[in-house]
Amino acid sequence: MEKTDIKSLYNKELEELFVSLGEKPFHARQAFHWLHVKHAASFAQMTDISNKLKEKLTDTCRIAVLKQEKVQCSKADGTRKYLFGLGDGNMVESVFMRYRHGNSVCISSQAGCRMGCRFCASALGGLVRNLTAGEMLEQVYRIQEDTGERVSHVVVMGTGEPLDNYENFLRFVRLLSDDKGANISQRNITASTCGIVPKIRRLAEEKLQITLALSLHAPSQEKRLSLMPVAKKYGLLEVLDACDAYFAKTGRRITFEYSLMGGMNDSTEDARQLAALLKGKNCHVNLIPINPVDERDYTQPSPQRVSNFKNNLEKYGINVTIRREMGRDIDGACGQLRKRYLN
Ligand code: SAH
């Protein structure tokens, strides 16, 4: 029989498990604390749990623990890029960033990705598998252990499409924000999606307070389709409608991510079209100069062109920021560390 992945269980499910093992529910609360606050890597570390119970747990459950394979530290801004080994030998990468408002961790939601965006390094090898909620949490926990610093913000913007791993992603959000666990406010959790419409609509119903970021990257269906195959299934207007529904239901303002690629989507006309598309929406646009990926031929526009694009959007009353690049000196584009390691 396959062992239960104990780090992916809600507090209540853990209590039920303990009751089914003939134990008192309060021991489950102790175990939850060991897993999600003290980041125990084994049952042996749980010192206030009896040996008999430890044996029972060892027989029936497993604890997902990630192995730190590699870490690259930026001298410029303190950014740390981690490569973690999963139990089955797969690898994922995560990033630790220091901001004025606190420490932020960017996690992966899948090993690989099947969305196939043309500018993205993570898409190159396809999807290997979904991560469990425990494996997503572990990225945050291991980084906290390694740095000895509290993490206040989490962004799900590493490898993978969170809404393509919906159930595990949801579990991750609820566990991460559990006040008996890491207790990271949902308002400080952001998930980025390429735009899987039915899942955006479903997420709007989950009564969460997280921020949804939509990878827009183009001001028209035609251009978006040439960059993101997912647009074939879910058209631009359909995605924007789903974002409106998300805002209406949750009151959470949507962030639109727009990676600027020289000569592709960075003209004055692109800015005008984008502004028209987003007119009247309570939203925020995040401009990200593309991270060049070896296998792809998109290039970064000049800083001048980036700031022109921003000014143009502002002229139309759009709320916009240029994302500060972090850790540029430690590796190139998103997903490249993992890829380099796998090659
Ligand atoms: N699958 C999700 C989240 C992962 S990617 C999504 O599509 O949103 C996180 C963000 O990085 C997305 O906006 C994605 O489009 C962007 N991205 C991917 N490759 C990039 C690159 N080479 N340069 C800049 N941004 C990139």
Side-chain angles (χ1 to χ4, degrees), residues 113 117 119-121 156-162 192-194 213 215 217 228 257 259 288-293 333-334:
C113 183
C117 297
F119 45 83
C120 178
V156 188
M157 290 194 186
T159 299
E161 167 51 50
S192 179
T193 178
C194 62
S215 297
H217 304 324
M228 304 174 71
E257 289 161 285
S259 293
I288 313 146
I290 192 90
N291 261 314
V293 177
C334 335

Side-chain angles (χ1 to χ4, degrees), residues 118 216-229 231-232 235-237 264 270 273 277:
R118 305 265 184 257
L216 191 56
H217 304 324
S220 69
Q221 167 64 9
E222 195 195 353
K223 258 190 198 178
R224 193 163 186 266
L225 186 57
S226 73
L227 293 171
M228 304 174 71
K232 188 161 190 229
L236 179 57
L237 297 180
M264 171 68 205
D270 289 319
Q273 276 186 34
L277 204 59

Side-chain angles (χ1 to χ4, degrees), residues 69-104:
E69 298 284 353
K70 204 171 157 66
V71 55
Q72 293 183 346
C73 309
S74 164
K75 292 197 178 58
D77 55 29
T79 297
R80 298 164 73 84
K81 206 161 196 182
Y82 291 83
L83 189 71
F84 288 116
L86 306 174
D88 61 1
N90 278 304
M91 303 274 178
V92 291
E93 62 178 271
S94 328
V95 187
F96 171 84
M97 291 159 288
R98 281 200 187 93
Y99 290 101
R100 275 183 298 274
H101 60 253
N103 294 325
S104 180

Side-chain angles (χ1 to χ4, degrees), residues 14 55 82 132 155 158-159 175 190 197 257 274 284 293 321 328:
L14 202 59
E55 259 171 49
Y82 291 83
T132 64
V155 297
T159 299
L175 281 166
T190 298
V197 167
E257 289 161 285
L274 181 61
H284 177 249
V293 177
T321 48
R328 188 68 204 270

Side-chain angles (χ1 to χ4, degrees), residues 137-189:
L137 291 166
E138 262 289 287
Q139 296 171 58
V140 180
Y141 297 172
R142 283 308 128 210
I143 289 177
Q144 287 196 54
E145 290 295 317
D146 186 55
T147 59
E149 294 183 34
R150 179 172 154 75
V151 170
S152 56
H153 291 68
V154 172
V155 297
V156 188
M157 290 194 186
T159 299
E161 167 51 50
L163 301 190
D164 187 38
N165 183 15
Y166 189 87
E167 300 296 340
N168 291 336
F169 163 70
L170 196 64
R171 204 169 254 282
F172 162 75
V173 169
R174 293 200 165 128
L175 281 166
L176 188 69
S177 55
D178 189 314
D179 61 5
K180 306 244 172 8
N183 196 17
I184 293 180
S185 162
Q186 288 186 3
R187 290 173 170 269
N188 292 352
I189 303 175

